[in-house]
Amino acid sequence: MKHVMVKFEQADQIINFVRIINRYAYDADVKCGSRVVDAKSVVGVLSLAKSKTVELILHTDECNELLEELAPFAA
């Protein structure tokens, strides 16, 4: 399992983030405080992450390609 901090300034960044995450088969969650949502859900991530730094939890250790694609969102 990998944990990465990500930040979004605008809603279109969240939509692009979810699009990228959905191309991969493994599960991913976004966590802010005690709230956790599915990272593959646009509505879930929008409700939790706009203008905040949140934790991305990837349920795999084989995710280097994904992490490279998500580099623009790194906090």
Side-chain angles (χ1 to χ4, degrees):
M1 195 175 326
K2 296 268 188 180
H3 298 255
V4 180
M5 300 306 287
V6 293
K7 183 171 176 74
F8 309 103
E9 298 296 332
Q10 300 174 1
D12 63 325
Q13 290 177 315
I14 292 173
I15 293 167
N16 289 334
F17 170 83
V18 172
R19 237 183 239 140
I20 292 168
I21 292 282
N22 274 300
R23 291 198 313 250
Y24 294 85
Y26 36 84
D27 290 331
D29 296 311
V30 173
K31 179 180 178 187
C32 183
S34 62
R35 294 182 58 206
V36 178
V37 297
D38 184 353
K40 294 184 176 188
S41 165
V42 172
V43 173
V45 179
L46 276 169
S47 70
L48 190 64
K50 186 140 189 248
S51 299
K52 292 182 186 171
T53 300
V54 294
E55 181 180 10
L56 171 63
I57 303 166
L58 300 169
H59 298 275
T60 184
D61 288 322
E62 305 297 322
C63 57
N64 291 333
E65 186 178 324
L66 172 60
L67 291 176
E68 287 178 21
E69 286 193 69
L70 297 179
F73 307 107

